[in-house]
Amino acid sequence: MSDLKERTKEIQAGPKGRHRTVQVTVGNVKVGGGAPIVVQSMTNTDTADIEGTVTQVAALARAGSEMVRITVDRDEAAAAVPHIREKLDKLGIDVPLIGDFHYIGHKLLADHPACAAALSKYRINPGNVGFKNKRDTQFTDIVEMALKHGKTIRIGANWGSLDQELLTKLMEENAKSPDPIDARAVTREAMVQSALLSAARAEEIGLPKNRMILSAKVSNVQDLIAVYRELAARSDYAIHLGLTEAGMGSKGIVASSAALGILLQDGIGDTIRVSLTPEPGGDRTVEVKVGQEILQTMGFRTFVPLVAACPGCGRTTSTVFQELARDIQSFIRDEMPSWKTRYPGVEQLNVAVMGCIVNGPGESKHADIGISLPGTGETPAAPVFVDGQKFRTLRGPTIATDFKALVIDYIEQRYGSAGAKAPAVTAAE
Ligand code: SF4
């Protein structure tokens, strides 16, 4: 019995406390130091294409991305950055822009001061910031540029472009060791050291901890978990968390959710990015939605009302149930930008769309508003539950539209200025 009590306590305790990190400010966004975990994303437009990039940044920001990274790979891209910033500001979109630099970041930032000023953060990769004797001077140039412009830097090590000199050194040391570890473990160690040594060097140059964010991304879930646990154990820098090259479709979503879920539960991660490969011509904002859903389903933040839907089974032979679940979900997503201002707190709403009588009434009662559709062979009636009580039974071909109208009424009465926390509906069946 006492075992059971202990186990229950553990479950009720939820995630471990957040790993303590130093708080960093990126534009108007706070990262780390206990601030809410920030969702960020990255464009896949050519940054030199000002209109295309503005459109995509705006879409990502409207979908909920709180910071957006853009590639700055050449002069044309760097020259476009201040114009992109200006156009976004005119649209009222103040999302901080992060410049992603590789190889020639030091030169681009020096040659394009307006770009350096327009960005809120510079992302550099310690594996390609410069090679051999140029490494230190180029790294120093970038850090000094951040100091001059009052910007933050992300030191982003990556498995695919790991600092080869450091890796070779650690491999050689390991080979000489009387008790060598396996090569994969050495590579993980090189990832951690690459990020930490670069951060220490940036501090020596004068960049304070509250102007640095660290990441060490790999594409394998177990490696990622090991690397980030080590990174967190050895430092208190703010941490950007993400599985690199997560992949396409469900594979990318599942791999990112598994990796990020475990680390977030450990209290590790101050900002996240879900690196999904979109379908050709696909919607880039999916990575933002997935990031939000990871945080919301784990209980770290609330962004949009949640729709609980059963998976359906042999008891649901019509498509009414799937269509209604999909309609309600996309209806809520589409309306959220305007609801956020009109209905404060609406993101806490829980809606249930259930396929039959087996779990339908029970699950619907747990939601703020829920519907239990008739399964095959059941009476063609759909009871609606509001705040745990049966409220009305919908019938006929307009069940979907009628339920949507009830959801809107509920939101208006509960979250609108008139209703403010009054009993959500008044006319029970
Ligand atoms: S609630 Fe009904 S339809 Fe949905 S999965 Fe359960 S048994 Fe199947």
Side-chain angles (χ1 to χ4, degrees):
M1 189 61 172
S2 64
D3 265 11
L4 180 61
K5 263 191 187 165
E6 281 307 305
R7 286 205 298 275
T8 309
K9 240 197 269 171
E10 208 173 284
I11 291 163
Q12 284 170 344
K16 294 176 189 160
R18 293 274 299 278
H19 168 61
R20 271 174 176 278
T21 53
V22 173
Q23 190 161 88
V24 175
T25 303
V26 181
N28 54 5
V29 176
K30 302 249 180 272
V31 180
I37 300 164
V38 172
V39 174
Q40 62 173 288
S41 60
M42 184 171 182
T43 56
N44 62 353
T45 54
D46 175 0
T47 304
D49 169 7
I50 296 173
E51 292 306 329
T53 304
V54 167
T55 302
Q56 195 174 79
V57 172
L60 291 164
R62 287 187 182 119
S65 185
E66 294 158 308
M67 302 194 284
V68 178
R69 183 156 45 117
I70 57 179
T71 301
V72 188
D73 57 344
R74 62 193 200 280
D75 285 313
E76 292 82 352
V81 170
H83 302 292
I84 292 167
R85 178 73 273 166
E86 197 184 324
K87 283 179 181 275
L88 288 167
D89 290 342
K90 279 192 185 145
L91 291 170
I93 294 169
D94 59 0
V95 68
L97 291 177
I98 302 158
D100 196 63
F101 294 98
H102 298 273
Y103 308 110
I104 55 167
H106 61 293
K107 188 171 181 315
L108 292 173
L109 286 166
D111 292 349
H112 299 272
C115 165
L119 294 168
S120 298
K121 183 168 66 152
Y122 313 149
R123 183 271 164 125
I124 56 172
N125 181 338
N128 61 30
V129 75
F131 301 98
K132 299 202 181 295
N133 54 348
K134 288 191 183 145
R135 171 196 298 275
D136 198 48
T137 47
Q138 291 178 189
F139 183 79
T140 304
D141 288 351
I142 294 177
V143 173
E144 284 178 348
M145 205 59 70
L147 285 167
K148 179 177 164 192
H149 290 277
K151 307 296 179 181
T152 296
I153 282 185
R154 167 156 71 100
I155 294 173
N158 195 298
W159 191 266
S161 47
L162 179 55
D163 178 345
Q164 291 303 306
E165 285 172 48
L166 176 64
L167 179 62
T168 306
K169 178 177 156 277
L170 293 180
M171 286 289 185
E172 284 170 2
E173 282 174 13
N174 185 54
K176 285 181 200 151
S177 159
D179 189 16
I181 53 174
D182 79 78
R184 202 165 186 96
V186 179
T187 311
R188 289 173 176 176
E189 175 63 19
M191 285 288 292
V192 176
Q193 284 201 22
S194 177
L196 291 178
L197 291 171
S198 298
R201 178 71 192 119
E203 277 193 77
E204 271 171 30
I205 298 165
L207 195 70
K209 265 191 178 173
N210 66 358
R211 297 266 292 281
M212 262 186 279
I213 298 177
L214 263 50
S215 66
K217 295 190 183 180
V218 306
S219 58
N220 173 283
V221 172
Q222 294 298 345
D223 287 330
L224 190 94
I225 293 166
V227 164
Y228 269 91
R229 280 182 173 161
E230 201 57 33
L231 191 62
R234 291 199 218 166
S235 76
D236 61 355
Y237 294 102
I239 288 183
H240 167 125
L241 187 57
L243 183 78
T244 192
E245 290 106 32
M248 268 185 145
S250 61
K251 187 264 168 189
I253 293 172
V254 170
S256 287
S257 307
L260 269 56
I262 287 168
L263 288 164
L264 291 167
Q265 188 76 359
D266 281 355
I268 299 168
D270 299 302
T271 171
I272 63 167
R273 185 203 169 199
V274 177
S275 304
L276 297 179
T277 310
E279 299 288 337
D283 181 359
R284 191 68 171 178
T285 64
V286 173
E287 68 173 61
V288 178
K289 290 171 193 157
V290 173
Q292 288 186 331
E293 280 165 10
I294 291 172
L295 294 181
Q296 183 155 352
T297 52
M298 292 191 72
F300 291 111
R301 291 191 64 185
T302 46
F303 298 97
V304 288
L306 282 181
V307 179
C310 78
C313 66
R315 296 173 67 92
T316 51
T317 44
S318 83
T319 55
V320 174
F321 153 69
Q322 289 103 314
E323 281 162 9
L324 183 59
R326 184 198 57 199
D327 280 7
I328 290 287
Q329 184 100 45
S330 52
F331 169 68
I332 285 172
R333 270 268 172 205
D334 294 347
E335 293 298 322
M336 263 316 274
S338 75
W339 284 358
K340 253 193 241 167
T341 44
R342 275 164 49 215
Y343 305 121
V346 70
E347 65 277 6
Q348 313 273 355
L349 178 77
N350 285 303
V351 181
V353 179
M354 300 296 291
C356 84
I357 200 170
V358 174
N359 291 323
E363 192 65 44
S364 300
K365 278 183 197 167
H366 290 304
D368 294 312
I369 178 162
I371 186 167
S372 176
L373 291 160
T376 311
E378 292 176 25
T379 314
V384 173
F385 296 83
V386 167
D387 293 338
Q389 304 294 323
K390 184 160 171 210
F391 168 66
R392 184 175 294 171
T393 300
L394 301 177
R395 289 186 175 82
T398 58
I399 285 181
T401 330
D402 295 346
F403 181 63
K404 223 191 263 181
L406 288 176
V407 172
I408 297 169
D409 282 354
Y410 183 91
I411 290 171
E412 179 58 50
Q413 289 187 43
R414 178 157 178 191
Y415 301 101
S417 51
K421 312 295 174 223
V425 279
T426 47
E429 185 184 49

